[in-house]
Amino acid sequence: MRGVIFDGKRPQVVDDLDVRAPGPGEVLVAVVAAGLCHSDLSVIYGTIPYPVPVVLGHEGAGIVEAIGSGVTHLTPGDHVALSTLAACGVCADCDRGRPTMCRQSIGRPGRPFSRRGEKLFHFASNSAFAERTVVKAVQAVKIPDDVPLVSAALIGCGVLTGVGAVLNRARVGHGESVLVIGAGGIGLNVLQGARLAGASTVVAVDANPAKGATARRFGATHFVDASVVPDIRAAVREILPTGVDHAFECVGDTRLIRTAVDLLDRHGQAVLLGVPPADAEASFLVSSLYLDKSILGCRYGSSRPQRDIPLYTQLYREGRLLLDELVTRVYPVEDFERAASDVNNRTVARGVLSFDR
């Protein structure tokens, strides 16, 4: 079968992958579509250290092909969106409704794939850049058949992370102000999360002026073009003179993290969603936090996929959550290199790899 692998030197599309049958508590999913996220490229560029060889991809949707023993909530033929959370369901964090903190779902990559006799690792317990993948049953969330799988593929990372960061982590309140730095795939979902939460003033910042119209469509009330504005802080303070209630950094740049902190109003909070290099350090004035300001890390939108994915698909069906509009371009999996180039050049909100099913 086809898939995209990374051997530590370069990514390549292959057609001779194998995947084992699902074991107890697992499902085999025929992947229909998979979103290409910066995190996949971060593995290639070394920003996210990961064992190799690995089958890439972590944002996908498809059709259940087989189930292992003990799986009762899915049957072959079900349409599913995939999450990366291979949570155990029984630890203290899972019991508290915090599966993103489950230690069983972090840093324990399995090797269900093989190629020419060599075993290959899962990426993020998911590996959606393969025609078929094996995941824990808890990672496959059933969705209605009328939700297009190309659009549903984006729920599993971009939507869960961006919308979840607003609703679950920051808990933005009705009438509050929001700043979103970076209007890419994650940033657009933060914007629509802010819209869903009832935020009043929502400011998007990006260095690509072409993203202004899209940012407004997703929920921005104002757009700051960082390519022409000499000082982002001054531009934002023209809109919100006392600062913002919630600032989301979606780029992964330590300078922009500082900008997010500097622009907080009293009792404001900065939420970090971008992924800088693993050894990156950011600085801020300690005195700037004393007015009850906070800096919040956020993993995967603090999501509970079995709850959140059905909610987001329902909002989509009601016309309140945008999914189709996130898909800038669909590529056959063989065009992975071109899709990656478009992501690097920031010409797409989200590119989707298709397996032509």
Side-chain angles (χ1 to χ4, degrees):
M1 67 179 185
R2 294 170 294 167
V4 181
I5 69 171
F6 176 59
D7 62 3
K9 297 179 180 177
R10 64 183 181 91
Q12 58 180 314
V13 179
V14 300
D15 61 5
D16 54 356
L17 271 180
D18 290 305
V19 65
R20 63 169 173 77
E26 295 179 334
V27 297
L28 176 68
V29 176
V31 178
V32 172
L36 178 54
C37 173
H38 275 287
S39 295
D40 300 300
L41 301 183
S42 293
V43 173
I44 296 170
Y45 304 143
T47 306
I48 297 178
Y50 210 85
V52 293
V54 58
V55 180
L56 296 173
H58 66 287
E59 183 183 67
I63 301 169
V64 175
E65 198 164 273
I67 61 174
S69 62
V71 177
T72 58
H73 71 289
L74 295 169
T75 58
D78 284 345
H79 288 204
V80 292
L82 300 177
S83 87
T84 67
L85 288 181
C88 70
V90 296
C91 69
D93 284 308
C94 285
D95 189 54
R96 294 187 185 108
R98 302 187 307 204
T100 56
M101 296 296 103
C102 175
R103 286 169 171 79
Q104 294 296 320
S105 70
I106 302 173
R108 295 172 181 263
R111 291 194 288 180
F113 298 96
S114 61
R115 178 175 182 252
R116 300 176 181 176
E118 180 181 25
K119 290 189 175 297
L120 289 81
F121 286 99
H122 251 152
F123 176 53
S125 302
N126 187 307
S127 293
F129 293 171
E131 286 190 85
R132 290 174 180 79
T133 188
V134 169
V135 298
K136 290 184 66 172
V138 71
Q139 296 175 252
V141 183
K142 186 176 179 179
I143 60 174
D145 290 356
D146 61 357
V147 177
L149 290 171
V150 167
S151 300
L154 303 184
I155 298 175
C157 177
V159 177
L160 282 177
T161 300
V163 178
V166 175
L167 302 183
N168 300 329
R169 186 64 169 130
R171 298 187 178 182
V172 171
H174 195 273
E176 293 183 328
S177 59
V178 170
L179 169 66
V180 181
I181 302 176
I186 298 298
L188 291 177
N189 281 296
V190 174
L191 289 171
Q192 67 173 334
R195 172 174 51 78
L196 289 166
S200 56
T201 304
V202 181
V203 182
V205 177
D206 201 281
N208 183 352
K211 292 184 178 180
T214 304
R216 290 180 183 276
R217 185 176 189 181
F218 274 77
T221 59
H222 300 75
F223 181 79
V224 174
D225 180 1
S227 69
V228 297
V229 171
D231 185 351
I232 294 174
R233 295 174 180 83
V236 173
R237 287 195 179 277
E238 285 186 12
I239 304 165
L240 294 162
T242 64
V244 301
D245 296 315
H246 308 274
F248 296 83
E249 200 283 339
C250 305
V251 179
D253 185 311
T254 56
R255 295 168 298 176
L256 295 177
I257 290 172
R258 171 63 182 267
T259 298
V261 174
D262 288 348
L263 283 170
L264 295 178
D265 197 354
R266 297 182 178 197
H267 209 275
Q269 51 188 17
V271 183
L272 310 186
L273 295 176
V275 182
D279 59 353
E281 296 183 359
S283 64
F284 57 91
L285 294 175
V286 175
S287 60
S288 69
L289 297 185
Y290 286 140
L291 292 173
D292 285 0
K293 301 178 186 180
S294 306
I295 300 174
L296 304 180
C298 183
R299 181 172 190 255
Y300 204 44
S302 302
S303 297
R304 287 184 276 172
Q306 292 287 341
R307 178 202 67 171
D308 292 347
I309 290 177
L311 169 62
Y312 298 158
T313 55
Q314 182 60 34
L315 292 173
Y316 166 78
R317 296 171 86 197
E318 293 172 359
R320 299 169 61 194
L321 184 92
L322 304 180
L323 290 181
D324 305 335
E325 296 81 357
L326 285 168
V327 181
T328 311
R329 188 172 300 166
V330 179
Y331 308 82
V333 67
E334 290 79 8
D335 283 351
F336 172 80
E337 185 175 343
R338 180 162 64 98
S341 176
D342 288 346
V343 172
N344 285 327
N345 293 330
R346 302 185 184 277
T347 60
V348 293
R350 238 352 175 237
V352 175
L353 299 181
S354 169
F355 285 96
D356 299 320
R357 294 186 187 279

